[in-house]
Amino acid sequence: MDLSLYNKVFENRLRLQIMGVLLANEDYDFSSLKELLEATDGNLASNLKTLEKEGYITVEKSFVDRKPHTRYRKTTKGQKAFADHLTALENLIKQQYK
Amino acid sequence: MDQKDLIKEIGHIRSIMEKSSKFLSISGLSGVLIGMYALLGAFFAYQKVYGLGGFTYRNHYVTDEGVVVYLAILALLVLALSLGTSVLMAKRKAKRLKQAIWNPTSKAMLAAMAFPLLTGGLLTMIFVCKGYFALIAATLLIFYGLALAAGSVYTFKEVRWLGILEITLGLLALLFPGYGLWFWVVGFGLLHIVYGFIVYKKYE
């Protein structure tokens, strides 16, 4: 079976979810992500860091009312990686049906 | 991972993507209530202008000073009541869905709706100042429809249809001046009730 599309980065559930949210939206901020995914600060931050290091997302820091406000965006690379990974999962399912 | 886990996982991702990009806390029942307020408002407006005596000569002309003020206050009252009901019931539904009512999606939706609504509102005020009363009913329907169509990207697709129908009614109201109240009865009353019922049946 061809598993070349399967992506180890997305084995972590939270990372896959983050990527899904960023695929569906132009951008998303940290606190909204936290609320939506019901994640802790530390867990969310470290997984966002991983995605950033992979070049799947970009980070944009600014200040709103003197509070830090961090926005995340997908990159073209991240978009492709997410789509490929979903294709891999799909293939896995099809494989098991056979 | 076995197959069931995989399918569940993909379904979960799908729902997260939808939840993050669509504001689904709009309550169908609030649509029904808004429609009823509109019908009630229309009844009082009709009574003021035509009286209760059935199909007789009208007692007042809409352009009489007192009548205009009465109708404007009535319309604003219905508007305030409708907005209040929508927000309150959306809050309740958001709580049930464990979704925040003030999130990036609802903000984007309101921003998309703001331009047509503000433009329509200002245009209506200009018409009032200039005395073009005949154009008001149609204008408000059209711009309300445009606002719904713009905001519908962020919520149920039924809202898009509601918007398109409101725009159509507004255009028709321009073609048949003098029947503004009836177009409002259909647009703000009946359409909201039907739409609200469909959303309630389908999603709640």
Side-chain angles (χ1 to χ4, degrees):
Chain A
M1 185 170 54
D2 178 23
L3 271 179
S4 61
L5 294 177
Y6 190 84
N7 194 333
K8 285 253 177 208
V9 176
F10 292 132
E11 245 171 24
N12 178 301
R13 193 159 181 231
L14 191 55
R15 281 180 217 152
L16 190 61
Q17 291 178 346
I18 294 168
M19 215 54 215
V21 174
L22 294 182
L23 255 291
N25 297 275
E26 189 131 337
D27 56 39
Y28 228 74
D29 65 279
F30 187 86
S31 53
S32 303
L33 264 180
K34 192 181 137 189
E35 201 169 317
L36 181 71
L37 302 177
E38 290 167 3
T40 59
D41 274 9
N43 194 9
L44 185 58
S46 79
N47 283 306
L48 281 165
K49 198 90 212 156
T50 311
L51 288 173
E52 193 193 347
K53 271 191 193 142
E54 290 291 331
Y56 291 170
I57 62 173
T58 57
V59 185
E60 208 177 284
K61 287 191 169 133
S62 63
F63 283 87
V64 177
D65 295 331
R66 287 190 206 159
K67 279 185 218 137
H69 188 76
T70 317
R71 311 191 68 84
Y72 300 91
R73 260 172 226 273
K74 62 184 170 278
T75 61
T76 322
K77 189 182 169 192
Q79 193 161 356
K80 188 173 179 309
F82 182 79
D84 283 349
H85 185 70
L86 283 194
T87 311
L89 293 187
E90 232 171 74
N91 289 340
L92 266 173
I93 292 169
K94 278 186 203 149
Q95 189 71 24
Q96 284 166 349
Y97 261 117
K98 275 180 194 163
Chain B
M1 255 199 286
D2 76 21
Q3 183 189 340
K4 266 194 191 138
D5 285 342
L6 275 173
I7 292 177
K8 223 173 109 187
E9 191 66 27
I10 290 179
H12 189 66
I13 290 291
R14 212 190 123 103
S15 95
I16 290 249
M17 288 173 82
E18 187 177 84
K19 218 169 145 187
S20 72
S21 62
K22 301 261 180 213
F23 182 66
L24 302 177
S25 302
I26 296 170
S27 150
L29 280 184
S30 74
V32 175
L33 280 177
I34 289 174
M36 287 176 177
Y37 300 157
L39 290 184
L40 214 64
F43 171 76
F44 283 118
Y46 185 87
Q47 202 182 23
K48 179 77 179 172
V49 178
Y50 296 93
L52 267 181
F55 215 77
T56 56
Y57 293 108
R58 42 167 73 182
N59 298 340
H60 303 278
Y61 281 92
V62 178
T63 41
D64 290 351
E65 190 66 39
V67 178
V68 173
V69 174
Y70 179 86
L71 293 181
I73 290 174
L74 193 63
L76 287 176
L77 202 72
V78 170
L79 178 67
L81 214 58
S82 302
L83 281 176
T85 305
S86 316
V87 172
L88 217 73
M89 291 186 74
K91 259 189 186 162
R92 263 185 40 193
K93 192 173 168 185
K95 215 174 186 181
R96 216 176 45 221
L97 295 177
K98 288 191 186 135
Q99 208 184 10
I101 188 166
W102 196 233
N103 61 18
T105 320
S106 62
K107 281 180 206 167
M109 187 178 84
L110 287 182
M113 294 176 78
F115 287 103
L117 278 184
L118 285 176
T119 312
L122 289 174
L123 193 62
T124 305
M125 279 197 246
I126 293 171
F127 285 164
V128 170
C129 292
K130 298 274 179 191
Y132 303 150
F133 295 108
L135 298 176
I136 291 171
T139 307
L140 284 174
L141 277 171
I142 291 171
F143 281 88
Y144 177 58
L146 287 172
L148 289 179
S152 69
V153 188
Y154 301 99
T155 184
F156 310 111
K157 59 180 185 301
E158 280 74 13
V159 174
R160 185 175 206 88
W161 281 107
L162 182 62
I164 291 170
L165 290 173
E166 301 282 5
I167 295 169
T168 312
L169 277 177
L171 293 174
L172 285 174
L174 277 179
L175 288 176
F176 300 99
Y179 293 96
L181 185 62
W182 293 108
F183 282 103
W184 274 28
V185 164
V186 177
F188 292 125
L190 293 182
L191 277 185
H192 276 138
I193 293 175
V194 172
Y195 146 84
F197 196 69
I198 291 173
V199 166
Y200 179 73
K201 275 273 158 205
K202 215 168 155 183
Y203 303 102
E204 285 170 43

